[in-house]
Amino acid sequence: MNFRDLLLKAKNEKFAIPQFNINNLEWAKYILEVCEEEKSPVFLGVSSGAAKYMGGFNVVVGMVRGLIKDLNITVPVMIHLDHATTFELCREAVDAGFDSIMFDGSKLDYEENIKITNEVKKYLKGQLLEAEIGKIGGEEDGLANELMFTTLEEAEDFISKTDIDMLAPALGSVHGIYKGEPNIKTDIMKDISSKTNMPLVLHGGSGIPEETLKKAVQCGITKANFNTELQLGWHEDVLKFVESNKEVYDPRKVISSGEQGLKKVAREYIRILGSGGKA
Ligand code: 13P
């Protein structure tokens, strides 16, 4: 089944496909292993900052394709560019062989966002396209963003003027750690979903309580993104390991001491989103 059909299946059957963001080889390996065990399709989210950290878009594609082959991964995997803010970044990722692109024009004025989204669409060679309207708050690649809610009218207008596969509306979720209880506008989410039939993406999944995530999936979320909680799960176990193994300097032992912590978080989100067994 191709991924476009899979998104529609998720929307109809009310489950969501996870996007787990990767930072390095280990992140990619652990996430692929968990998704294979749970038989969950997955988007491997790669921010441009993370791609740069790993060496570039070609490194990411080569590494992930190599892992899929050597680890015998059979579940559908999309290598997805997360929050590209320029056409140029989208072009580079497409040329390197990414499967899915998010052009994030939310910091541009609205008409400019539509214009560049359409330019990116024209350049694609079959990749999925995600766009953002409104402004998702919080922190991305170390930069703070303000939050601005998306309205139904804006979503309908944007969708009618572009040809996207997924829309990320800003409905109260933020990237990074929440200050206080997340206030997600699931009523607007449900309206946008039912009136446009567009697969919707929830950014800033970390820190959103299980019940709210489940409600968001019922209200039309078909892809939900997680980064921070994976890092926290990994970090907690690494700290414990380092504190009691100060003499260990083999990077493989240090980095992999967080494997189970990270995998536990990913597995939990697959359960909450209902994507296990859907591959
Ligand atoms: P969190 O780090 O808050 O989980 O957000 C991830 C995300 O939305 C990536 O686009």
Side-chain angles (χ1 to χ4, degrees):
M1 185 182 288
N2 82 31
F3 236 90
R4 276 189 184 86
D5 294 339
L6 199 54
L7 281 171
L8 293 176
K9 178 178 151 87
K11 193 167 167 62
N12 291 334
E13 292 182 12
K14 297 205 187 309
F15 67 91
I17 301 168
Q19 173 181 312
F20 294 130
N21 280 51
I22 61 169
N23 295 288
N24 57 17
L25 169 77
E26 287 80 359
W27 245 246
K29 180 169 180 273
Y30 303 157
I31 290 165
L32 288 173
E33 285 172 345
V34 170
C35 291
E36 183 66 24
E37 276 169 38
E38 300 297 327
K39 293 283 168 267
S40 171
V42 66
F43 285 84
L44 293 183
V46 184
S47 69
S48 40
K52 197 169 166 194
Y53 172 82
M54 288 182 263
F57 293 129
N58 292 291
V59 176
V60 173
V61 173
M63 176 182 81
V64 173
R65 299 258 182 264
L67 285 169
I68 289 173
K69 198 165 175 205
D70 287 347
L71 301 175
N72 298 315
I73 302 296
T74 61
V75 297
V77 177
M78 289 269 109
I79 307 177
H80 174 85
L81 178 62
D82 195 25
H83 291 286
T85 50
T86 63
F87 172 83
E88 192 55 26
L89 283 167
C90 298
R91 188 180 64 74
E92 283 172 28
V94 170
D95 289 354
F98 272 56
D99 305 303
S100 178
I101 301 289
M102 177 194 190
F103 172 67
D104 174 2
S106 63
K107 290 194 188 68
L108 304 172
D109 75 43
Y110 182 69
E111 294 304 326
E112 193 67 6
N113 187 358
I114 292 175
K115 182 171 158 254
I116 304 183
T117 301
N118 285 331
E119 284 171 14
V120 172
K121 175 71 194 182
K122 245 201 218 152
Y123 191 76
L124 298 183
K125 300 167 175 84
Q127 286 82 2
L128 296 176
L129 181 59
E130 175 183 338
E132 175 177 329
I133 49 173
K135 288 188 172 111
I136 293 162
E139 201 174 281
E140 280 164 75
D141 271 345
L143 297 172
N145 292 315
E146 62 177 308
L147 166 68
M148 201 170 89
F149 289 107
T150 304
T151 62
L152 169 65
E153 294 68 32
E154 195 181 30
E156 285 181 315
D157 185 68
F158 191 89
I159 290 166
S160 73
K161 292 175 177 162
T162 54
D163 183 11
I164 55 173
D165 300 292
M166 301 170 274
L167 178 71
L171 294 173
S173 61
V174 302
H175 293 112
I177 294 166
Y178 285 83
K179 295 183 186 84
E181 189 75 4
N183 177 14
I184 313 293
K185 308 277 183 205
T186 44
D187 47 343
I188 308 178
M189 200 176 267
K190 194 171 176 187
D191 257 11
I192 297 176
S193 174
S194 61
K195 300 221 165 82
T196 67
N197 207 31
M198 174 61 61
L200 301 180
V201 181
L202 180 71
H203 281 253
S206 297
I208 299 180
E210 173 168 348
E211 287 319 308
T212 312
L213 281 174
K214 284 184 171 162
K215 188 161 181 206
V217 174
Q218 292 307 311
C219 293
I221 290 299
T222 41
K223 169 172 170 279
N225 297 2
F226 304 94
N227 186 16
T228 308
E229 288 279 5
L230 297 170
Q231 300 184 353
L232 292 173
W234 174 82
H235 182 238
E236 192 181 322
D237 281 6
V238 171
L239 270 188
K240 277 188 220 146
F241 176 82
V242 172
E243 272 161 15
S244 49
N245 294 277
K246 289 209 166 66
E247 73 295 348
V248 177
Y249 55 84
D250 182 339
R252 292 170 297 185
K253 294 198 173 122
V254 178
I255 298 173
S256 68
S257 65
E259 173 176 349
Q260 294 313 322
L262 187 152
K263 283 185 166 174
K264 194 170 155 217
V265 173
R267 215 181 294 280
E268 186 64 2
Y269 283 129
I270 289 171
R271 181 186 66 74
I272 294 172
L273 300 183
S275 66
K278 303 289 187 184

